[in-house]
Amino acid sequence: MTLQERIEKARTLHQQGYNCAQCVALSFTDITGLDESTTARVSAGLGAGVGGTGEICGALTGATIVKGTTHFTTPADKPAINKSVREICHEFAGLNDGMTRCRDLKSKGRKPCMDLIEEAINILHNRI
């Protein structure tokens, strides 16, 4: 899929009520090896900052699912995956005044979720 196709898919999913993590993860099912139903179920509790707690942004947890499913074969892969996820988080934070927590990103109407989803997809698309 092209970057624009991923973003359009995420936009449609978001309009249908899927959370940010689901929108990001479902936009990469062409490469994760997971079917859409499994992906949606695995990421269902990760929206609004993991279970609605306002912690790490769902768009980032969705990106983490994609990195794990595309790069994990054995436990020896974990350090490289963690490094890559940290880089994604750092780049995302750089676009958002150093923030990665949902409650901070959403405070005072900073950015709508779809903008954050697009940012995560852009970052991830360029790292796959």
Side-chain angles (χ1 to χ4, degrees):
M1 291 180 77
T2 68
L3 174 60
Q4 194 55 42
E5 288 171 331
R6 291 187 198 289
I7 290 170
E8 287 307 314
K9 182 175 182 176
R11 185 178 314 285
T12 299
L13 292 164
H14 194 256
Q15 291 169 347
Q16 293 172 356
Y18 287 88
N19 70 40
C20 297
Q22 289 172 310
C23 291
V24 172
L26 285 163
S27 296
F28 288 88
T29 54
D30 60 312
I31 61 169
T32 62
L34 296 176
D35 63 79
E36 291 198 359
S37 176
T38 300
T39 301
R41 289 191 323 269
V42 166
S43 53
L46 300 175
V50 181
T53 63
E55 293 301 325
I56 189 108
C57 174
L60 288 173
T61 58
T64 301
I65 289 170
V66 173
K67 287 305 284 189
T69 56
T70 58
H71 290 83
F72 180 85
T73 307
T74 71
D77 298 327
K78 290 190 313 183
I81 293 167
N82 286 341
K83 181 179 185 283
S84 182
V85 169
R86 280 193 307 272
E87 290 169 354
I88 290 167
C89 289
H90 180 74
E91 188 172 342
F92 183 88
L95 297 171
N96 292 291
D97 300 322
M99 295 179 283
T100 60
R101 288 180 2 161
C102 180
R103 79 170 56 94
D104 298 333
L105 291 162
K106 302 307 301 167
S107 69
K108 300 176 188 170
R110 292 183 186 268
K111 283 188 184 176
C113 288
M114 194 59 223
D115 288 358
L116 299 168
I117 291 166
E118 285 186 35
E119 289 173 355
I121 290 172
N122 270 302
I123 293 166
L124 187 57
H125 183 83
N126 293 322
R127 292 177 179 273
I128 294 297

